[in-house]
Every structure is written in structure tokens, then in C-alpha cells.
Amino acid sequence: MSTPEHTASAPQPQSQSAAAAVRADNQDPSLFGQTPWQTVGPFFHFGLPWNGCADLTGPSQMGGRADLMPTGFAALRGPERRDAAAPVGERIQISGHVFDGRGRPVPDALLEIWQANASGCYRGSGFAGQGPASIDQGFFGFGRAATAEDGSFCFRTIRPGRVHFTSSGGALQAPHIALGVLGRGLLKRLMTRIYFDDEPSSAEDAILRLVPEHRRATLMAQRIDAAAGGAVPGSDPSAHYRFDVRLQGERETVFFDY
Amino acid sequence: MGTIQTVNAQLSNAGADFRREDGAQPPSLFAPYASTVERAPHEPLLRIPQTPTEQSGPNEWEALFGEQVTDLTCTRGAPAQGQRIIVCGQVLDEDRRPVANTLIEMWQANAAGRYAHERDQWDAPLDPNFSGAGRVLTDAQGRYRYTTVRPGAYPWGNHYNAWRPAHIHLSLMGPAFATRLVTQMYFPDDPLIEIDPIANAVPRAYRQRMVAHFDINITQPSYALGYRFDIVLRGRAATPLRAQT
Ligand SMILES: [Fe+3]
């Protein structure tokens, strides 16, 4: 039974400010500002990847981890793609592994890509491109891939066209794909880019030039030729590239702040 | 969205830089969260200018991701176990402008603190009527709303007797690839927040930005408790010098 005496002798907060700090929440006007990043943790597979999220070229099951769903459970459903038009451009495949600082594969990472279509236009908000005619109805340009137990991932997409360096035009960038790396142990996304080692314009790309020369190779997807197990001429996809992500240490991937 | 207004809004925003991280963002390396030690880069991040690649982002959500799932308590026939809650709020940028038509994805443990995931080997029961994932779009004022159950706290292997505070994982794309945000929403008065290495990777002064607000006006009689959680994405750095047409 609570008495007035008990109430009076109840422990008091150390100070008003300590009490306020404990009570503060996202509705506190003095706290207004960017919501902080937090890790996706190890259990994102039923919420983020959808069926086929790593295949930007057509319907398939690439990119998810159905093997991680308990019996009777399934990941969130993806979109209906029955009537989707085939995208314009050259189909390519980019595969690789994600490694940690000890060179071990990372089995619980999520990769996200964002890229222009074959004519160098982004489909979505924030792009003042060449108008509706530049939109490829069969290509969104966004994809995800959860890494497998061996740390591997694989995207199937379209070779991106060249995009201007600024929204008002000017110099062209080399073909590239924006890449975000999320995962357990990654408190915030690591941002990088995928370039192509057989693309001559990479040599004069303004962003790549900001990267110290000895580290540029970490951003280059390497074409695998047919003799080494890559695509044979005329096949689909018509080019295979390897791109590994090294989170830390030797040959560490260059990550950006933008 | 294919309206003229939307297209014009996109064009007038094109080319504007987004602000950089503020002091609220955690470092990549935070040793008390042990998994960061071998995964955080050693090299400093390389600062680059934003180009159309970083300033644009997808916006045709249902065609790209699939349909919305805004009530997680009744996706599988029978009602889910646990305390039903409504979470709503507004997605804003740093200038308090609403972020309309943006996708929020959420995933969480069930009321017992167990994820519907093979790698979650804690012996708390799975709820056959709760899968724990959803997605919702913001309206023209940036508002969103979904119904779920309050997730339980759960143990993890980070250190002796480690327990995660109850949380809902949230993923937002925002208007551009640069504005991507993945965060966790915590609940007020949860004593585990104070001792959680993941929440505390965020500098203390900003940590409570991730704590939802209990709101009796969102609470519905004889139905569900209500929480408000506003989410703030990076805003525009400056108005570009261009004719407004
Ligand atoms: Fe979690």
C-alpha cells in the first residue's frame, strides 16, 4: 500500500536534465534532426529482399534467401512481373563475394544497386533527364541481393549508359552502378560504385580520379572471358563481371561519403 | 506517380545537393557492438560530390517492390499473438518538408522476441500468425500508419547477458539514393536502451531520436495502443540557382 510517506521518500532523479534526457523522444522539438542509422542486423531476409530483386532484366527468383525462412513462413511478396517488357540494352551479370577484415565471407550482407538505363537515364525522382522518351518501361534500375552462406551475390542487369556529371549537363561520367552495402555489423550503409574494367571512358571519370590510383582497382568489375568461365559470345547475359567487396583491410574497397 | 505536378516537383528538385550526415549518425566502428570490429572499413570514407546518380532514386514503389502490407497482425488468417499497436508519424526532411510517396519497409520480432528466420535459434515460440514484415507508402503530407504487435526483447551473443531492447527495423529510400536510411524504432521507458551497444553507437545526445512517443490520441479504444514516430531524412543543402518554371 502506498502512503504519502512512501511517495515522499521515493528515489528522485539525479537532476532535472537527467530525467528529461530519459523521457525525451522523437517528438521533443530540441531533438529534431536526421534520424540516426542503425544496422539491418542478421534477420532482414524476410523483410527486405523480394523474389527476383537481384534480376533487373526479367522475372526470376534471384536475390532472396528462401532457405532462411522457417517452414510455413515466407518472405514478403514481390511485384507481379507477368507483363513486364524486356529492358533495352546489353544484359550483363555481376557476381562476387563480400569479405570481412579477416578475409572471411560475409553471409548476412545485403547489397543494393541503383543505375541508369542503357541510354544513361535514371528512372525515378530527382533526375532531370531527356524527358519521358528516355524512360525504359522494362527497367527500373534498382535491385537488391542478399549474400549466400559463402558470401556470394549475383546481379543480372543492363549495361548502364553514360550519365552527365551534373544535372545541367556537362561532362559525362563513365558507366557505373551505385552500390550500397548493408549487413550485420554495419551500423550504417557503406556506399561505393561499380565501374567496368573494359570500359575506356573509366580512365577519365571525374569521380574515379578522386580515388588514389593504387585503390582504383577495388571499384573495377573485371570482365571474365569465356575461357575462364565467363559468357560465350552471343549468350545471355552476354558479359560476366566479377566484383568483390572487401569491407576492411588488404585491398579494402573504397567507400564514399556523399 | 505520373502526374504533371509530380514531374514538375521532380524537375525543380533535380540537381540540388543533399546535406551530409549530421552528428547523429553512428560511426562504422563501435567496438561495444562486436560485429563492427572486423567489418568496419579501416580507411577513411572518400568524400565525393553528389552527381545525378546520388541525387536520384526509384519512386514507382508498388511496381518495383510489390503491394503494401500495412496490418501485420492479420496477414495469415488468425490474429497475431501479443499487444496490438498502431504506429504512425510523418517522414520529413531537415527543413520539415514532408517526404511524400516514399516507401517505408519494416520487419520485427514477434511478441515473444522471436524472428521468423532460420538463423534465430532462441527458443521463444514462433507465432504461426505473425511473419513480422510489412511495407507502407507515405501520403502527400508524408504521413504513414501501420498496425502490428509490440515486439519482444530478445537475447543476443554480443556479450554476457546481452538483450536487445524491443525494436522495429525500418528502411526508407527517400527521394534519392543519397537519402537512404535504415534505422530501428525503440519504445519509450525501455530500460534496455540505456545498455544496448547498437542504440548507443549513436551519440547519446541524439539517441532518443529513435524512441517513439506514446500517444493516447493515436491509441484506439478497446483496440490498440498508439505510438508516434516521425522520421527525418537528409534535406537539401541549398536551393539551386535555376529558373522556377
Ligand atoms: Fe532486430
Side-chain angles (χ1 to χ4, degrees):
Chain A
M1 224 20 217
S2 178
T3 66
E5 285 75 20
H6 281 122
T7 307
S9 64
Q12 296 296 310
Q14 296 288 317
S15 69
Q16 290 293 337
S17 61
V22 169
R23 278 198 304 272
D25 60 41
N26 84 118
Q27 293 299 300
D28 187 325
S30 69
L31 278 180
F32 184 86
Q34 293 174 11
T35 304
W37 266 82
Q38 295 273 271
T39 178
V40 294
F43 302 135
F44 57 82
H45 301 90
F46 65 97
L48 291 180
W50 67 90
N51 293 338
C53 61
D55 187 348
L56 286 69
T57 65
S60 77
Q61 300 298 302
M62 289 173 61
R65 287 292 307 272
D67 59 310
L68 291 176
M69 301 304 115
T71 307
F73 289 86
L76 215 50
R77 281 236 314 273
E80 298 283 343
R81 281 279 167 76
R82 285 171 306 186
D83 304 324
V88 175
E90 182 191 351
R91 292 168 188 251
I92 61 172
Q93 177 173 304
I94 304 170
S95 58
H97 290 75
V98 180
F99 297 107
D100 72 9
R102 286 168 58 180
R104 293 174 306 193
V106 175
D108 44 18
L110 179 74
L111 278 65
E112 292 184 337
I113 59 171
W114 172 241
Q115 65 164 95
N117 65 21
S119 55
C121 293
Y122 288 99
R123 175 172 172 176
S125 60
F127 182 70
Q130 296 147 27
S134 62
I135 296 299
D136 178 348
Q137 286 306 326
F139 189 73
F140 288 99
F142 182 83
R144 286 177 173 157
T147 54
E149 287 306 303
D150 63 354
S152 65
F153 65 89
C154 182
F155 285 105
R156 211 164 275 177
T157 187
I158 293 295
R159 186 187 297 281
R162 297 183 71 176
V163 183
H164 289 284
F165 189 69
T166 70
S167 63
S168 46
L172 288 165
Q173 305 187 60
H176 65 276
I177 295 174
L179 173 67
V181 186
L182 306 95
R184 179 175 67 84
L186 300 179
L187 279 162
K188 56 186 175 184
R189 174 179 67 159
L190 297 173
M191 303 175 294
T192 185
R193 282 182 169 197
I194 301 170
Y195 286 88
F196 300 92
D197 75 337
D198 58 344
E199 171 59 51
S201 60
S202 295
E204 67 249 24
D205 182 81
I207 298 290
L208 267 181
R209 281 181 167 183
L210 297 173
V211 177
E213 207 168 348
H214 69 282
R215 299 189 67 202
R216 280 179 204 162
T218 70
L219 303 185
M220 292 293 176
Q222 305 204 330
R223 187 161 185 154
I224 310 167
D225 45 60
V232 294
S235 67
D236 178 24
S238 56
H240 286 189
Y241 291 88
R242 173 171 298 126
F243 186 88
D244 290 332
V245 176
R246 292 185 170 77
L247 299 175
Q248 183 190 85
E250 200 184 339
R251 287 183 291 159
E252 181 177 306
T253 302
V254 171
F255 297 108
F256 296 129
D257 166 29
Y258 54 72
Chain B
M1 306 294 281
T3 66
I4 298 296
Q5 289 85 346
T6 307
V7 170
N8 282 344
Q10 289 165 11
L11 291 179
S12 65
N13 273 336
D17 272 356
F18 291 93
R19 280 181 231 167
R20 308 277 170 144
E21 289 186 355
D22 77 6
Q25 300 306 337
S28 287
L29 175 64
F30 187 70
Y33 175 22
S35 301
T36 66
V37 173
E38 284 166 355
R39 295 188 172 187
H42 283 161
E43 298 284 345
L45 301 179
L46 181 75
R47 193 175 172 116
I48 61 168
Q50 293 167 17
T51 79
T53 303
E54 293 75 29
Q55 292 169 343
S56 60
N59 65 350
E60 294 157 276
W61 302 115
E62 296 198 43
L64 177 56
F65 284 66
E67 62 192 11
Q68 297 184 59
V69 177
T70 62
D71 186 347
L72 285 66
T73 68
C74 60
T75 58
R76 300 169 64 87
Q81 299 276 351
Q83 172 71 67
R84 191 186 291 125
I85 61 172
I86 295 164
V87 182
C88 68
Q90 215 178 359
V91 182
L92 301 163
D93 73 9
E94 290 173 86
D95 299 306
R96 299 180 189 269
R97 291 189 293 199
V99 182
N101 182 43
T102 202
L103 178 74
I104 306 175
E105 298 165 276
M106 69 290 272
W107 71 102
Q108 63 167 88
N110 67 22
R114 175 82 184 268
Y115 283 95
H117 193 288
E118 276 296 320
R119 285 203 193 114
D120 186 357
Q121 292 300 311
W122 190 33
D123 67 358
L126 278 168
D127 178 352
N129 295 310
F130 188 75
S131 60
R135 46 171 95 98
V136 57
L137 287 173
T138 60
D139 69 11
Q141 281 77 47
R143 294 175 307 208
Y144 72 91
R145 179 188 189 88
Y146 62 93
T147 306
T148 183
V149 297
R150 184 179 168 126
Y154 59 83
W156 60 312
N158 188 70
H159 57 275
Y160 172 72
N161 208 10
W163 293 77
R164 292 297 329 279
H167 61 276
I168 298 176
H169 294 268
L170 298 172
S171 159
L172 290 91
M173 300 296 301
F177 198 70
T179 59
R180 182 97 175 85
L181 172 71
V182 177
T183 188
Q184 298 180 24
M185 186 194 92
Y186 299 98
F187 290 83
D189 305 318
D190 186 338
L192 293 169
I193 297 171
E194 198 63 35
I195 53 174
D196 177 54
I198 294 177
N200 284 286
V202 172
R204 193 189 161 85
Y206 304 98
R207 193 189 62 199
Q208 304 299 109
R209 286 182 183 175
M210 301 182 291
V211 176
H213 179 80
F214 171 73
D215 192 333
I216 193 66
N217 297 311
I218 298 166
T219 300
Q220 289 193 3
S222 304
Y223 180 66
L225 294 178
Y227 290 89
R228 177 170 299 280
F229 190 67
D230 292 343
I231 300 163
V232 182
L233 303 179
R234 290 161 61 178
R236 301 283 176 172
T239 308
L241 297 172
R242 58 169 62 237
Q244 298 290 314
T245 43

